[in-house]
Every structure is written in structure tokens, then in C-alpha cells.
Amino acid sequence: MRRLLLNLGIVVFVVVSSLNVLAQTGKVKKANKDFDRYEYIDAREIYIKVVEDGYASAQIYENLGDTYYWNSDYSNAAKWYNKLISEFPEETEIVYFYRASQANKSINNSENATRYMDMYIARGGDPGILKAINTEFLEYIVQLKKASINTSASDFGPSFYQNNVVFASTGKSTEGGKIAKWNDQPFTDLFIATMDENGALTSATSLQGDVNTKYHESTPTFTKDGKTMYFTRNNFIDGKKGKDKNKTIKLKLYRATKSDNGKWENVVELPFNDKEYSMAHPALSKDEKKLYFSSEIPGGIGMSDIYYVDITGDNQYGTPVNLGPEVNTEARESFPFISDKNNLYFSSDGRGGLGGYDIFMAKLDANGVASNVMNIGEPANSSKDDFGFIVNEEKRFGFLSSNRDGEEGSINDDIYLVNEDCKITISGVVFDVDTNAPIAGANVMLLDEENNVIDQVIVGAEATYSFTADCEKRYAVRGTKEMYAPYEQIIQTPNKTSVVEVPIPLKTLDPCPPDDLGCRLDLQPIYFDFDRFNIRPDAEIELAKILSAMRVYPELKIDIESHTDARAPKRYNEILSERRAQSTLKWLVAKGIDKSRLTAKGYGENQLVNKCADGVACTEEEHQLNRRSMFIIVN
């Protein structure tokens, strides 16, 4: 890797040069104050003059474009990237089509930006999602909105039913107009509302059939085929009400089936009900083999616990099983719901929370056993009662019931649409690609599609960073640090709240010896054909860099070193390398450089850069690495 030194500082390149292996060879002198003045050789100025003199290569255009791109001068970056692609399309590395697209987009050249991005994709470039980790939906709820079907009274307990939502309401009750003495509100009935793909509810009407009565009906759950419903009702069936020993009408679980006329009929009581204690809020397991519910069955853990029964046949069930202390507390647990991802959501006022009923989530294993209970936090939970939560995890929305907007002591509930505000966390560590050590003090930037800097941070001792981004957008993460090559990663964020890991590996730049002009100019190897000492056309392009430097800096004096491979007698190679060194000197003199500023010497095969000594089998490419010229600043 080379670096170019500018008047105002150091600009680094991401183009790997084969001169890495050459930088420490040849007659490299120890740094001293005599060379300090050359620390500010303006390589970019020299490159531009090389182009003005009629010499060009893909590497020259890449380096020129990069000096501007990494410093956010996109107008000049676009100028050189456009030349690169226009003049050297086959030699252009894939990443430069992307950079060219970004640079042109930043200067509003949409035609070029689109064309280069198409070329980038066509050649195999793909932003791709990097290690997107989908998180649980409720870790990122940030939007709650009252459903439009709410009334001025209580509306609560929603349940998904195909493309609809069924819920309980006192404000819409039509059955007899009876008033419940304990809260002076009408008894609840079940209603059905149409739900669109975003969860908006409209057109609420009374559920048709024999379900609604003059007593309470609420919290239904439905089988996937839409033909069976379980729901909660007061102890009332066939026109008869039942009371416990204290003359109280408890809650019971019922089942109804949908007839061919679309009405809910054939209402039956579940056989494990008991008039002495309430059972309510049924919820079906994902496989519909278990029915969860809340009850105050004697011998439980608290005031009300969550249980399940196995469904063993047509209205046949096993014995109620308490979910145990992992879920239940000495207080109240109620309103269970099982999601398609087999998560149990429920409400409790017996666990640490924000106040009143809070909504919790627990994982269910294959046997229906719950673990890892967690509070889903704000804003789903509030200081009031929050309960009756349901969620479509695939569509990333759900509903909950809450009295949070009521006055203190109010029992009026509302149904809220819960939407996830899709956010992406982009995070990672900046580290040295060779040692894996964290790089403290590196600058990390997040850029949008227009190359605007959205956020940036200087990383601390642990070299970690984190940005918040939007879903379904393209970004670039860029890492820079003095004496390291810049790194940029393109990201296409996913369409769900996720954590995208973007590690930033930075490569240390080999420091240029203070007297190595070739290193400072990012000089590409000047090769000679086997057994030849004539200047090849590709070598002329590189020599043009030396020529321009000597013109810009007339005080420069250069020692030219020439080296051969080992495939001929040693003495022959010394003579050949001397001729190559002198041919290089003559080329520069012919271009107007005073001969007094140049010396030249051939070293033959005495300073090989690899294993390819006499008798060692090597490829032509390996031998060619040893056939090279170097340019040393002399005092």
C-alpha cells in the first residue's frame, strides 16, 4: 500500500500496489533532516501534470479520484472517476463503479450515477445485507395510536380473526341495555371490525349469532380455519344464569362454531368450568392443541394465574395445568396470547413494571412451558393498566388495551394500534486487519445515498461504534485513521428492525522511507522484458511521474537503481541492469532533465525481492518482480 503526501496533509489510497514488496529494497538511506523538506511533495499535483503531459493509466485516475473522494470533494472525484471508466473500462476495479456513481450523484449528475451503478451491479457488485439480526418485535415499539373504532366507554380485548379484529365494547352494547352494578356501565358485547394490511380498523358491527347476551362477553380467540371460537362470558347459557355460593355470577369459558349462514351458533360451556371460580381470556397455542386461560382456581399461586388444558377431542380437554412460578405471581396474571413465533404475551400486576397491569413476554417451548419472562417496556406499558395484547409478528403490528388516557381511577379502556417504527442499528468494531487489535481514535462516518454524512464518531478505547439508520435504505459506513488505508462498506438495510454488524478492518500503510520518491508517488513497478533494456510503454507512464516531480521540484536529485532477475550469469545481469539504469537516465535527460541531477547504477541480481535465485523454479510473474527500477532522493 502506498501513500500520497499533499501540501495540507496525508491522503491515503485503497489501491494495493505491488511495490509493497519493493519498498524496503535497494539503496534506501536512513532518514535525516536533509530529507525533511521532501515530506511535502505534492503527489496529486504531480499526477495532474503527468496527465497534462499526455500520460494516463487506470492507476493514475484511481489515485486522483481517491484523493478527492476520501476528502469529500465529489466534483473533482467524479471528474477523474469518469475518465477512469471512459478510458479504461476493462481495467477499472468494481468498487470504482460504485464510487463513481456516488460522486456523480453528489453533484446531481443522475444519468452518470445511474449508469455507473448499473455497471457496478452488472459486474458483480452487490450492497447486500450484512449479518442482519432480526430482533423481537416488542423491543422496538415506538408508535401507539388509538384505533378509530373506540367509543367514549370501554373497548378492549382485541383478537385476530382472519382479516378482521373482534373485540369487546360497552359503548356499542345493544343487548337489553343492562347496566353492571359494579361499574355502572353497560355489559360488554363482541364486535367485529375490518382490518387493513396496516392494522387500521373500520366498520365495527355486532358479531352475528348467539354469542352476545345481556351479560358480559369478551376476549375471544379463533381457530385458524375460522370455524371455532372460544370466548369469555358470565355464567349464563340457555337463558339461565348461574351463581356461586356467594350469589355472584362468575366468568366462564365457552365455545361457539360458525354455521353455514355465517353466524356464530352452537354455544357450549367448556366442561372444566366451575361456578365457584372464574375462568376467562382464552388463547389457543400455535398448533391449536392447547387452550390457555386465566383463572382463580383454588390452590394456585396468586389471585389469578395462567393455566392451559390440552385439547383432546371435540369439546374434550385435559386437566388444567398451572404455568408455575416462572409466569405466575402472588398477584394477578391474565390476558394470555400466543403468537406465531410461540411467544406467550400476558399481563400482570405482580411483577416489577411501570404501574397497574403491565404486558410481559415469555418464550414457550415445545411442551408449552414458559421461560425468560421480560417486561416489554414503554411505550406499550404505561403507569396505568395495559393488557389484552395481540401481535402479528410477520406484519410487525399489533393491538393492546389500556386506560392510560383516562382520569385517575377511570375504568374506560381503549384499543391501541401498535406499530413498529422500523429502525436499524448499524454497529461494529474498528480493528487492525493484520493484528485484530482495536484501533482507538479512528473516525467512523455513516453516509446516505447522496454521500451526505448522517452521523460520525471518534471511537474510544474499545473501538466500537453504533449508528441508528432507517430501514430499506442504502448507506455507506466509512472508517479512517491516520497511517491506515480508508475502508468503506456499502449496506442495503433490511425491511425489519435489525442489528447490522459492520466490522471495519483497517490496513496499516507502509511508511515511505524519506528518500524513496517512488513510494511517495505511488509509483507502479517499472518492468523490463527479459534480456532487454529498452523502456516499455507502460514504463513511460511511470517515468512520467518522476519527470513531473523533477520539473515541479528543481532541487531534486535522483539516484536510479536497476535490478534484474537471476536467470542469467551474475556478471551478465550486472551489465544488463547497468544498461537498464542508464536507459532510464537517458529517457529523463531526453525529456529535459539536466544530467547533473541524475545518477544511475545497476545491481544485477544482488537484491532480489523474493525466493527466485539461481536454480529456484519460479513463474514468469515472480521473475518479473525482480526486474525493476527504483528512484532514490539523494542529497
Side-chain angles (χ1 to χ4, degrees), residues 392-419:
N392 184 320
E393 288 160 325
E394 179 63 29
K395 293 184 177 180
R396 316 295 280 184
F397 68 77
F399 298 91
L400 61 81
S401 310
S402 179
N403 64 350
R404 65 183 63 196
D405 280 352
E407 297 179 0
E408 195 65 35
S410 170
I411 60 172
N412 283 353
D413 304 308
D414 289 308
I415 296 172
Y416 291 79
L417 171 63
V418 180
N419 271 317

PDB file of all heavy atoms in Angstrom, residues 392-419:
ATOM      1  N   ASN A 392     -49.213  -9.436  15.287  1.00  0.00           N
ATOM      2  CA  ASN A 392     -48.861 -10.141  14.059  1.00  0.00           C
ATOM      3  C   ASN A 392     -47.378  -9.874  13.835  1.00  0.00           C
ATOM      4  O   ASN A 392     -46.997  -8.818  13.331  1.00  0.00           O
ATOM      5  CB  ASN A 392     -49.694  -9.636  12.880  1.00  0.00           C
ATOM      6  CG  ASN A 392     -49.436 -10.412  11.603  1.00  0.00           C
ATOM      7  OD1 ASN A 392     -48.309 -10.773  11.295  1.00  0.00           O
ATOM      8  ND2 ASN A 392     -50.491 -10.651  10.841  1.00  0.00           N
ATOM      9  N   GLU A 393     -46.538 -10.799  14.235  1.00  0.00           N
ATOM     10  CA  GLU A 393     -45.092 -10.556  14.196  1.00  0.00           C
ATOM     11  C   GLU A 393     -44.562 -10.464  12.773  1.00  0.00           C
ATOM     12  O   GLU A 393     -43.543  -9.814  12.539  1.00  0.00           O
ATOM     13  CB  GLU A 393     -44.374 -11.658  14.971  1.00  0.00           C
ATOM     14  CG  GLU A 393     -44.592 -11.532  16.470  1.00  0.00           C
ATOM     15  CD  GLU A 393     -44.320 -12.817  17.220  1.00  0.00           C
ATOM     16  OE1 GLU A 393     -44.598 -13.909  16.675  1.00  0.00           O
ATOM     17  OE2 GLU A 393     -43.850 -12.735  18.373  1.00  0.00           O
ATOM     18  N   GLU A 394     -45.215 -11.089  11.846  1.00  0.00           N
ATOM     19  CA  GLU A 394     -44.758 -11.007  10.468  1.00  0.00           C
ATOM     20  C   GLU A 394     -45.017  -9.621   9.893  1.00  0.00           C
ATOM     21  O   GLU A 394     -44.165  -9.046   9.208  1.00  0.00           O
ATOM     22  CB  GLU A 394     -45.458 -12.071   9.621  1.00  0.00           C
ATOM     23  CG  GLU A 394     -45.064 -12.048   8.150  1.00  0.00           C
ATOM     24  CD  GLU A 394     -43.601 -12.357   7.922  1.00  0.00           C
ATOM     25  OE1 GLU A 394     -43.002 -13.095   8.748  1.00  0.00           O
ATOM     26  OE2 GLU A 394     -43.043 -11.854   6.934  1.00  0.00           O
ATOM     27  N   LYS A 395     -46.190  -9.069  10.168  1.00  0.00           N
ATOM     28  CA  LYS A 395     -46.537  -7.748   9.641  1.00  0.00           C
ATOM     29  C   LYS A 395     -46.060  -6.620  10.545  1.00  0.00           C
ATOM     30  O   LYS A 395     -46.207  -5.449  10.211  1.00  0.00           O
ATOM     31  CB  LYS A 395     -48.050  -7.646   9.423  1.00  0.00           C
ATOM     32  CG  LYS A 395     -48.557  -8.569   8.325  1.00  0.00           C
ATOM     33  CD  LYS A 395     -50.041  -8.358   8.071  1.00  0.00           C
ATOM     34  CE  LYS A 395     -50.535  -9.240   6.920  1.00  0.00           C
ATOM     35  NZ  LYS A 395     -51.983  -9.049   6.663  1.00  0.00           N
ATOM     36  N   ARG A 396     -45.537  -6.969  11.717  1.00  0.00           N
ATOM     37  CA  ARG A 396     -44.925  -6.017  12.635  1.00  0.00           C
ATOM     38  C   ARG A 396     -45.902  -4.985  13.190  1.00  0.00           C
ATOM     39  O   ARG A 396     -45.587  -3.807  13.333  1.00  0.00           O
ATOM     40  CB  ARG A 396     -43.744  -5.308  11.963  1.00  0.00           C
ATOM     41  CG  ARG A 396     -42.809  -6.188  11.170  1.00  0.00           C
ATOM     42  CD  ARG A 396     -42.070  -7.176  12.041  1.00  0.00           C
ATOM     43  NE  ARG A 396     -40.941  -6.593  12.717  1.00  0.00           N
ATOM     44  CZ  ARG A 396     -40.086  -7.273  13.483  1.00  0.00           C
ATOM     45  NH1 ARG A 396     -40.261  -8.573  13.635  1.00  0.00           N
ATOM     46  NH2 ARG A 396     -39.084  -6.680  14.068  1.00  0.00           N
ATOM     47  N   PHE A 397     -47.124  -5.427  13.478  1.00  0.00           N
ATOM     48  CA  PHE A 397     -48.045  -4.568  14.201  1.00  0.00           C
ATOM     49  C   PHE A 397     -48.922  -5.419  15.105  1.00  0.00           C
ATOM     50  O   PHE A 397     -48.992  -6.639  14.976  1.00  0.00           O
ATOM     51  CB  PHE A 397     -48.898  -3.706  13.265  1.00  0.00           C
ATOM     52  CG  PHE A 397     -49.897  -4.461  12.427  1.00  0.00           C
ATOM     53  CD1 PHE A 397     -51.087  -4.927  12.983  1.00  0.00           C
ATOM     54  CD2 PHE A 397     -49.682  -4.669  11.074  1.00  0.00           C
ATOM     55  CE1 PHE A 397     -52.018  -5.614  12.222  1.00  0.00           C
ATOM     56  CE2 PHE A 397     -50.604  -5.348  10.298  1.00  0.00           C
ATOM     57  CZ  PHE A 397     -51.767  -5.820  10.877  1.00  0.00           C
ATOM     58  N   GLY A 398     -49.579  -4.761  16.034  1.00  0.00           N
ATOM     59  CA  GLY A 398     -50.452  -5.459  16.970  1.00  0.00           C
ATOM     60  C   GLY A 398     -51.411  -4.485  17.619  1.00  0.00           C
ATOM     61  O   GLY A 398     -51.524  -3.321  17.207  1.00  0.00           O
ATOM     62  N   PHE A 399     -52.098  -4.962  18.659  1.00  0.00           N
ATOM     63  CA  PHE A 399     -53.056  -4.133  19.384  1.00  0.00           C
ATOM     64  C   PHE A 399     -52.905  -4.408  20.872  1.00  0.00           C
ATOM     65  O   PHE A 399     -52.505  -5.505  21.290  1.00  0.00           O
ATOM     66  CB  PHE A 399     -54.502  -4.450  18.965  1.00  0.00           C
ATOM     67  CG  PHE A 399     -54.791  -4.179  17.517  1.00  0.00           C
ATOM     68  CD1 PHE A 399     -54.614  -5.176  16.560  1.00  0.00           C
ATOM     69  CD2 PHE A 399     -55.234  -2.929  17.101  1.00  0.00           C
ATOM     70  CE1 PHE A 399     -54.869  -4.946  15.226  1.00  0.00           C
ATOM     71  CE2 PHE A 399     -55.498  -2.684  15.753  1.00  0.00           C
ATOM     72  CZ  PHE A 399     -55.317  -3.703  14.816  1.00  0.00           C
ATOM     73  N   LEU A 400     -53.233  -3.422  21.669  1.00  0.00           N
ATOM     74  CA  LEU A 400     -53.311  -3.611  23.116  1.00  0.00           C
ATOM     75  C   LEU A 400     -54.461  -2.782  23.652  1.00  0.00           C
ATOM     76  O   LEU A 400     -54.985  -1.884  22.978  1.00  0.00           O
ATOM     77  CB  LEU A 400     -51.988  -3.252  23.796  1.00  0.00           C
ATOM     78  CG  LEU A 400     -51.452  -1.819  23.684  1.00  0.00           C
ATOM     79  CD1 LEU A 400     -52.122  -0.860  24.679  1.00  0.00           C
ATOM     80  CD2 LEU A 400     -49.944  -1.811  23.934  1.00  0.00           C
ATOM     81  N   SER A 401     -54.849  -3.092  24.881  1.00  0.00           N
ATOM     82  CA  SER A 401     -55.906  -2.353  25.571  1.00  0.00           C
ATOM     83  C   SER A 401     -55.283  -1.596  26.732  1.00  0.00           C
ATOM     84  O   SER A 401     -54.360  -2.091  27.376  1.00  0.00           O
ATOM     85  CB  SER A 401     -56.973  -3.312  26.104  1.00  0.00           C
ATOM     86  OG  SER A 401     -57.409  -4.197  25.095  1.00  0.00           O
ATOM     87  N   SER A 402     -55.779  -0.400  26.984  1.00  0.00           N
ATOM     88  CA  SER A 402     -55.210   0.408  28.066  1.00  0.00           C
ATOM     89  C   SER A 402     -56.189   1.489  28.486  1.00  0.00           C
ATOM     90  O   SER A 402     -56.973   1.978  27.673  1.00  0.00           O
ATOM     91  CB  SER A 402     -53.906   1.061  27.600  1.00  0.00           C
ATOM     92  OG  SER A 402     -53.351   1.870  28.612  1.00  0.00           O
ATOM     93  N   ASN A 403     -56.108   1.862  29.766  1.00  0.00           N
ATOM     94  CA  ASN A 403     -56.883   3.003  30.266  1.00  0.00           C
ATOM     95  C   ASN A 403     -55.971   4.200  30.519  1.00  0.00           C
ATOM     96  O   ASN A 403     -56.288   5.077  31.324  1.00  0.00           O
ATOM     97  CB  ASN A 403     -57.655   2.632  31.537  1.00  0.00           C
ATOM     98  CG  ASN A 403     -56.718   2.273  32.690  1.00  0.00           C
ATOM     99  OD1 ASN A 403     -55.507   2.123  32.502  1.00  0.00           O
ATOM    100  ND2 ASN A 403     -57.274   2.127  33.890  1.00  0.00           N
ATOM    101  N   ARG A 404     -54.847   4.238  29.823  1.00  0.00           N
ATOM    102  CA  ARG A 404     -53.827   5.249  30.088  1.00  0.00           C
ATOM    103  C   ARG A 404     -54.293   6.676  29.863  1.00  0.00           C
ATOM    104  O   ARG A 404     -53.745   7.602  30.459  1.00  0.00           O
ATOM    105  CB  ARG A 404     -52.588   4.990  29.220  1.00  0.00           C
ATOM    106  CG  ARG A 404     -52.818   5.142  27.726  1.00  0.00           C
ATOM    107  CD  ARG A 404     -51.565   4.806  26.922  1.00  0.00           C
ATOM    108  NE  ARG A 404     -51.185   3.421  27.093  1.00  0.00           N
ATOM    109  CZ  ARG A 404     -49.991   2.935  26.765  1.00  0.00           C
ATOM    110  NH1 ARG A 404     -49.082   3.723  26.254  1.00  0.00           N
ATOM    111  NH2 ARG A 404     -49.729   1.653  26.923  1.00  0.00           N
ATOM    112  N   ASP A 405     -55.283   6.875  28.994  1.00  0.00           N
ATOM    113  CA  ASP A 405     -55.738   8.234  28.716  1.00  0.00           C
ATOM    114  C   ASP A 405     -56.884   8.665  29.618  1.00  0.00           C
ATOM    115  O   ASP A 405     -57.346   9.807  29.532  1.00  0.00           O
ATOM    116  CB  ASP A 405     -56.189   8.353  27.260  1.00  0.00           C
ATOM    117  CG  ASP A 405     -55.006   8.511  26.321  1.00  0.00           C
ATOM    118  OD1 ASP A 405     -53.885   8.684  26.819  1.00  0.00           O
ATOM    119  OD2 ASP A 405     -55.203   8.438  25.103  1.00  0.00           O
ATOM    120  N   GLY A 406     -57.353   7.769  30.476  1.00  0.00           N
ATOM    121  CA  GLY A 406     -58.450   8.123  31.372  1.00  0.00           C
ATOM    122  C   GLY A 406     -57.976   8.840  32.620  1.00  0.00           C
ATOM    123  O   GLY A 406     -56.787   8.875  32.937  1.00  0.00           O
ATOM    124  N   GLU A 407     -58.902   9.428  33.333  1.00  0.00           N
ATOM    125  CA  GLU A 407     -58.555  10.072  34.596  1.00  0.00           C
ATOM    126  C   GLU A 407     -58.213   9.021  35.631  1.00  0.00           C
ATOM    127  O   GLU A 407     -58.495   7.830  35.468  1.00  0.00           O
ATOM    128  CB  GLU A 407     -59.736  10.928  35.084  1.00  0.00           C
ATOM    129  CG  GLU A 407     -60.086  12.070  34.126  1.00  0.00           C
ATOM    130  CD  GLU A 407     -61.275  12.878  34.624  1.00  0.00           C
ATOM    131  OE1 GLU A 407     -61.791  12.529  35.713  1.00  0.00           O
ATOM    132  OE2 GLU A 407     -61.661  13.832  33.947  1.00  0.00           O
ATOM    133  N   GLU A 408     -57.569   9.454  36.709  1.00  0.00           N
ATOM    134  CA  GLU A 408     -57.175   8.528  37.765  1.00  0.00           C
ATOM    135  C   GLU A 408     -58.410   7.777  38.261  1.00  0.00           C
ATOM    136  O   GLU A 408     -59.429   8.371  38.592  1.00  0.00           O
ATOM    137  CB  GLU A 408     -56.531   9.294  38.931  1.00  0.00           C
ATOM    138  CG  GLU A 408     -55.775   8.413  39.908  1.00  0.00           C
ATOM    139  CD  GLU A 408     -54.571   7.768  39.255  1.00  0.00           C
ATOM    140  OE1 GLU A 408     -53.932   8.404  38.395  1.00  0.00           O
ATOM    141  OE2 GLU A 408     -54.271   6.618  39.618  1.00  0.00           O
ATOM    142  N   GLY A 409     -58.323   6.473  38.300  1.00  0.00           N
ATOM    143  CA  GLY A 409     -59.434   5.645  38.754  1.00  0.00           C
ATOM    144  C   GLY A 409     -60.405   5.289  37.665  1.00  0.00           C
ATOM    145  O   GLY A 409     -61.338   4.526  37.886  1.00  0.00           O
ATOM    146  N   SER A 410     -60.188   5.805  36.434  1.00  0.00           N
ATOM    147  CA  SER A 410     -61.098   5.511  35.337  1.00  0.00           C
ATOM    148  C   SER A 410     -60.952   4.063  34.902  1.00  0.00           C
ATOM    149  O   SER A 410     -59.859   3.510  34.880  1.00  0.00           O
ATOM    150  CB  SER A 410     -60.810   6.443  34.152  1.00  0.00           C
ATOM    151  OG  SER A 410     -61.523   6.024  33.011  1.00  0.00           O
ATOM    152  N   ILE A 411     -62.072   3.441  34.544  1.00  0.00           N
ATOM    153  CA  ILE A 411     -62.023   2.071  34.037  1.00  0.00           C
ATOM    154  C   ILE A 411     -62.322   2.035  32.536  1.00  0.00           C
ATOM    155  O   ILE A 411     -62.455   0.974  31.954  1.00  0.00           O
ATOM    156  CB  ILE A 411     -63.022   1.171  34.783  1.00  0.00           C
ATOM    157  CG1 ILE A 411     -64.461   1.696  34.606  1.00  0.00           C
ATOM    158  CG2 ILE A 411     -62.659   1.028  36.240  1.00  0.00           C
ATOM    159  CD1 ILE A 411     -65.505   0.748  35.146  1.00  0.00           C
ATOM    160  N   ASN A 412     -62.457   3.195  31.925  1.00  0.00           N
ATOM    161  CA  ASN A 412     -62.713   3.234  30.492  1.00  0.00           C
ATOM    162  C   ASN A 412     -61.436   2.866  29.740  1.00  0.00           C
ATOM    163  O   ASN A 412     -60.411   3.532  29.857  1.00  0.00           O
ATOM    164  CB  ASN A 412     -63.182   4.630  30.064  1.00  0.00           C
ATOM    165  CG  ASN A 412     -64.630   4.866  30.417  1.00  0.00           C
ATOM    166  OD1 ASN A 412     -65.317   3.948  30.866  1.00  0.00           O
ATOM    167  ND2 ASN A 412     -65.100   6.087  30.227  1.00  0.00           N
ATOM    168  N   ASP A 413     -61.540   1.814  28.951  1.00  0.00           N
ATOM    169  CA  ASP A 413     -60.385   1.314  28.214  1.00  0.00           C
ATOM    170  C   ASP A 413     -60.502   1.664  26.732  1.00  0.00           C
ATOM    171  O   ASP A 413     -61.604   1.805  26.204  1.00  0.00           O
ATOM    172  CB  ASP A 413     -60.275  -0.202  28.370  1.00  0.00           C
ATOM    173  CG  ASP A 413     -60.218  -0.622  29.826  1.00  0.00           C
ATOM    174  OD1 ASP A 413     -59.372  -0.080  30.549  1.00  0.00           O
ATOM    175  OD2 ASP A 413     -61.022  -1.486  30.223  1.00  0.00           O
ATOM    176  N   ASP A 414     -59.357   1.730  26.079  1.00  0.00           N
ATOM    177  CA  ASP A 414     -59.304   1.949  24.646  1.00  0.00           C
ATOM    178  C   ASP A 414     -58.379   0.924  24.013  1.00  0.00           C
ATOM    179  O   ASP A 414     -57.462   0.398  24.656  1.00  0.00           O
ATOM    180  CB  ASP A 414     -58.793   3.359  24.312  1.00  0.00           C
ATOM    181  CG  ASP A 414     -59.809   4.431  24.646  1.00  0.00           C
ATOM    182  OD1 ASP A 414     -60.964   4.301  24.194  1.00  0.00           O
ATOM    183  OD2 ASP A 414     -59.451   5.404  25.340  1.00  0.00           O
ATOM    184  N   ILE A 415     -58.627   0.674  22.735  1.00  0.00           N
ATOM    185  CA  ILE A 415     -57.766  -0.214  21.962  1.00  0.00           C
ATOM    186  C   ILE A 415     -56.770   0.639  21.188  1.00  0.00           C
ATOM    187  O   ILE A 415     -57.144   1.642  20.569  1.00  0.00           O
ATOM    188  CB  ILE A 415     -58.595  -1.086  21.002  1.00  0.00           C
ATOM    189  CG1 ILE A 415     -59.506  -2.018  21.811  1.00  0.00           C
ATOM    190  CG2 ILE A 415     -57.687  -1.895  20.081  1.00  0.00           C
ATOM    191  CD1 ILE A 415     -60.500  -2.776  20.954  1.00  0.00           C
ATOM    192  N   TYR A 416     -55.504   0.252  21.252  1.00  0.00           N
ATOM    193  CA  TYR A 416     -54.435   0.983  20.581  1.00  0.00           C
ATOM    194  C   TYR A 416     -53.790   0.111  19.511  1.00  0.00           C
ATOM    195  O   TYR A 416     -53.516  -1.074  19.747  1.00  0.00           O
ATOM    196  CB  TYR A 416     -53.357   1.414  21.588  1.00  0.00           C
ATOM    197  CG  TYR A 416     -53.813   2.484  22.543  1.00  0.00           C
ATOM    198  CD1 TYR A 416     -54.609   2.174  23.642  1.00  0.00           C
ATOM    199  CD2 TYR A 416     -53.455   3.814  22.346  1.00  0.00           C
ATOM    200  CE1 TYR A 416     -55.022   3.151  24.538  1.00  0.00           C
ATOM    201  CE2 TYR A 416     -53.869   4.801  23.239  1.00  0.00           C
ATOM    202  CZ  TYR A 416     -54.651   4.466  24.323  1.00  0.00           C
ATOM    203  OH  TYR A 416     -55.066   5.449  25.201  1.00  0.00           O
ATOM    204  N   LEU A 417     -53.585   0.715  18.343  1.00  0.00           N
ATOM    205  CA  LEU A 417     -52.784   0.070  17.305  1.00  0.00           C
ATOM    206  C   LEU A 417     -51.313   0.275  17.652  1.00  0.00           C
ATOM    207  O   LEU A 417     -50.877   1.398  17.913  1.00  0.00           O
ATOM    208  CB  LEU A 417     -53.097   0.673  15.936  1.00  0.00           C
ATOM    209  CG  LEU A 417     -52.190   0.263  14.773  1.00  0.00           C
ATOM    210  CD1 LEU A 417     -52.294  -1.235  14.500  1.00  0.00           C
ATOM    211  CD2 LEU A 417     -52.527   1.062  13.517  1.00  0.00           C
ATOM    212  N   VAL A 418     -50.568  -0.805  17.650  1.00  0.00           N
ATOM    213  CA  VAL A 418     -49.146  -0.764  17.970  1.00  0.00           C
ATOM    214  C   VAL A 418     -48.367  -1.032  16.689  1.00  0.00           C
ATOM    215  O   VAL A 418     -48.487  -2.107  16.100  1.00  0.00           O
ATOM    216  CB  VAL A 418     -48.796  -1.831  19.025  1.00  0.00           C
ATOM    217  CG1 VAL A 418     -47.319  -1.780  19.359  1.00  0.00           C
ATOM    218  CG2 VAL A 418     -49.641  -1.634  20.274  1.00  0.00           C
ATOM    219  N   ASN A 419     -47.588  -0.058  16.241  1.00  0.00           N
ATOM    220  CA  ASN A 419     -46.762  -0.213  15.044  1.00  0.00           C
ATOM    221  C   ASN A 419     -45.300  -0.096  15.414  1.00  0.00           C
ATOM    222  O   ASN A 419     -44.924   0.719  16.263  1.00  0.00           O
ATOM    223  CB  ASN A 419     -47.075   0.880  14.008  1.00  0.00           C
ATOM    224  CG  ASN A 419     -48.186   0.451  13.081  1.00  0.00           C
ATOM    225  OD1 ASN A 419     -48.223  -0.677  12.610  1.00  0.00           O
ATOM    226  ND2 ASN A 419     -49.116   1.355  12.829  1.00  0.00           N
TER     227      ASN A 419
END
